[in-house]
Amino acid sequence: DSINRMLNVSANSGAGIVYSDFYDEENGMLTYHPLIDYQSGSVRDDFNFGSLMLLSKEAFLFCVNEFAGYNYAGTYALRLAVSHNFPVVRIPEPLYSSAKVDYRKTGEKQFDYVDPKNRVVQREFEKAFTEYLKQIDAYLPQIKRTVEFKDSFKVEASVIIPVKNRIKTIRSAVESALNQKANFDFNVIVVDNHSTDGTTGLLKEIAQSDERLIHIIPERTDLNIGGCWNEAIHSNKCGKFAVQLDSDDLYSGEDTLQKIVDKFYEEKCAAVIGSYKLTDFNLNEIPPGVIDHKEWTDENGHNNALRINGLGAPRAYYTEVIREINFPNVSYGEDYSMMLILLRNYKIGRIYEPLYLCRRWEDNTDADLTIEQQNRNDSYKDFLRTQEILARQKMNKDEPE
């Protein structure tokens, strides 16, 4: 019956690919596992089709040549080609059950693709994706547009820390920022999103002893992380460069801020992205260790960024530029949204040494997501990719020949 259901849907819709929701089978129990709809921006190579997918004969024969020349990315290249030429249809019904084999939490699985041993595979997937972007006229040549920095800021740099209820970690994060050694003036802007666990009192105490800490409590109560970033960058206290620090993480050394600002001037770029090291709460390194995101490069990163889920940290921005764009008021994907827009228009600087200690612990917002939460996040990032592909297609169409 399940196969017939898929065949009927394919015949009625002309779909090249049909997939469906399913049940996770665990210890004799069945748990409903919904998937998400396929968008034109669902171009990441780990899109979840489930364990059963129907590929129509017509679609396969039309796109079969996309297999050629790949050791790892053949199926991915085929799927991209099919999705460009045929509908991809999800049936929102559980048509089968599948034994659950990966019991890791979401926070443990999210870094699989950046494991250095997968680098050869990632480069091949990048090649397949680049060819696809060229086919749909969303490929962009190397971005070389630089910026001229203005001197209308009170300080050179601001470390931006959005926070809500991080009493266990906020002191060490703030001290990590305040302890930076630099040949320029900087401050630390903490946007305290109405904490209720003592974080607010602790920040007021630190601010009284160090005027470089700017403690902002927004008037609005509907802000997510992106909205808190907007509060910070539009503050008249914000420096020329806005540098990210999460409220439970640390800079890896006292020279991190100096290295980031030096990179801005070296390349006259609109943003700088560093690398980071994964640690446990006590700062002991945990696998896979250093995350340098070498799967996206200076030459083609602005294209390949549409395929991958993360771009690195810490992220830093030229404030003048991001004030014109603004972050979406969400708590997932706000940085990815900003970076896609910047990558479309500007040169981005890269630092491949770890500048940041990313602490993984039970209170991380992505430590253990439900299927519904993960689906919501994945669907939102696919939406961002969809919008970005449309913007790039329009840019290419409007480009004078």
Side-chain angles (χ1 to χ4, degrees):
D1 289 344
S2 296
I3 299 299
N4 285 334
R5 179 74 168 127
M6 287 186 168
L7 288 170
N8 287 334
V9 169
S10 178
N12 293 335
S13 64
I17 293 175
V18 177
Y19 64 105
S20 77
D21 298 351
F22 59 96
Y23 289 111
D24 278 320
E25 185 175 349
E26 182 179 0
N27 298 325
M29 301 290 291
L30 297 179
T31 304
Y32 182 52
H33 191 131
L35 297 177
I36 62 175
D37 291 331
Y38 196 93
Q39 306 176 48
S40 58
S42 299
V43 292
R44 54 197 165 84
D45 51 77
D46 63 349
F47 185 89
N48 188 7
F49 290 99
S51 302
L52 180 63
M53 182 179 74
L54 184 146
L55 173 65
S56 76
K57 179 180 179 180
E58 180 183 3
F60 177 78
L61 293 176
F62 188 84
C63 302
V64 68
N65 289 336
E66 299 299 330
F67 267 117
Y70 294 111
N71 294 315
Y72 307 102
T75 302
Y76 175 60
L78 175 65
R79 183 254 284 186
L80 290 176
V82 170
S83 68
H84 179 49
N85 293 282
F86 298 86
V88 176
V89 177
R90 166 190 165 229
I91 302 176
E93 306 164 10
L95 296 185
Y96 62 95
S97 62
S98 178
K100 188 173 182 178
V101 294
D102 191 344
Y103 291 91
R104 292 178 300 164
K105 297 179 179 179
T106 53
E108 298 170 324
K109 294 187 287 186
Q110 64 175 317
F111 298 104
D112 287 354
Y113 77 103
V114 294
D115 192 321
K117 70 176 182 290
N118 295 325
R119 193 149 288 154
V120 173
V121 176
Q122 288 294 318
R123 289 295 171 85
E124 189 168 289
F125 275 82
E126 177 181 5
K127 177 183 176 182
F129 181 60
T130 300
E131 291 303 312
Y132 171 71
L133 289 179
K134 291 177 179 178
Q135 292 171 12
I136 66 172
D137 200 26
Y139 173 83
L140 297 181
Q142 187 172 3
I143 302 298
K144 296 183 178 180
R145 180 181 170 191
T146 58
V147 295
E148 295 295 330
F149 302 122
K150 298 180 180 180
D151 292 322
S152 55
F153 296 87
K154 295 179 180 178
V155 294
E156 185 76 353
S158 292
V159 176
I160 309 299
I161 309 177
V163 64
K164 183 170 185 176
N165 294 341
R166 281 288 183 266
I167 189 63
K168 293 181 181 179
T169 61
I170 189 60
R171 179 185 289 277
S172 57
V174 169
E175 290 177 349
S176 169
L178 291 173
N179 289 338
Q180 292 297 297
K181 307 298 184 186
N183 60 14
F184 50 80
D185 292 332
F186 69 91
N187 60 25
V188 179
I189 301 178
V190 179
V191 183
D192 177 7
N193 200 8
H194 304 280
S195 297
T196 58
D197 68 342
T199 294
T200 300
L202 177 57
L203 289 170
K204 288 181 178 178
E205 175 188 323
I206 299 173
Q208 288 176 351
S209 62
D210 196 325
E211 63 182 10
R212 294 175 301 163
L213 177 59
I214 312 301
H215 181 200
I216 296 176
I217 301 176
E219 292 184 8
R220 291 174 56 178
T221 58
D222 63 340
L223 296 182
N224 293 298
I225 292 175
C228 289
W229 260 90
N230 292 333
E231 289 280 319
I233 64 175
H234 287 286
S235 166
N236 61 7
K237 301 290 183 65
C238 188
K240 184 186 302 182
F241 305 111
V243 186
Q244 168 248 344
L245 180 62
D246 289 343
S247 59
D248 49 6
D249 296 329
L250 308 170
Y251 290 139
S252 58
E254 295 180 344
D255 58 351
T256 292
L257 197 56
Q258 183 72 58
K259 289 178 179 178
I260 291 171
V261 170
D262 286 349
K263 178 61 71 171
F264 272 109
Y265 284 108
E266 177 187 336
E267 301 195 16
K268 294 184 177 180
C269 46
V272 171
I273 298 182
S275 303
Y276 56 95
K277 182 187 293 185
L278 292 178
T279 75
D280 61 19
F281 188 81
N282 297 314
L283 305 184
N284 300 303
E285 182 174 339
I286 58 176
V290 174
I291 307 297
D292 54 22
H293 283 282
K294 287 184 178 178
E295 73 282 351
W296 73 280
T297 61
D298 289 337
E299 297 75 24
N300 196 40
H302 56 291
N303 290 305
N304 196 33
L306 281 162
R307 179 184 67 86
I308 60 181
N309 273 319
L311 299 175
R315 293 165 296 278
Y317 311 93
Y318 175 41
T319 302
E320 189 79 15
V321 169
I322 61 172
R323 280 175 172 172
E324 298 174 1
I325 301 170
N326 289 308
F327 291 85
N329 185 26
V330 295
S331 287
Y332 177 83
E334 75 289 339
D335 51 345
Y336 187 69
S337 172
M338 177 63 74
M339 284 308 309
L340 287 183
I341 296 171
L342 293 177
L343 283 162
R344 187 199 326 148
N345 295 287
Y346 295 99
K347 179 175 177 58
I348 305 300
R350 300 292 306 280
I351 299 176
Y352 292 103
E353 62 180 290
L355 303 177
Y356 192 89
L357 301 179
C358 180
R359 292 195 280 190
R360 309 303 299 171
W361 61 304
E362 66 274 6
D363 279 3
N364 287 136
T365 55
D366 56 0
D368 188 17
L369 301 179
T370 65
I371 292 172
E372 290 75 18
Q373 290 171 321
Q374 189 171 356
N375 282 347
R376 185 165 59 249
N377 289 348
D378 287 342
S379 183
Y380 180 64
K381 271 196 173 178
D382 284 355
F383 165 78
L384 295 176
R385 295 181 180 99
T386 298
Q387 298 306 305
E388 186 58 29
I389 286 173
L390 291 172
R392 295 178 183 212
Q393 289 172 328
K394 184 178 185 301
M395 176 183 286
N396 287 333
K397 182 180 179 181
D398 294 343
E399 195 73 26
E401 297 185 4

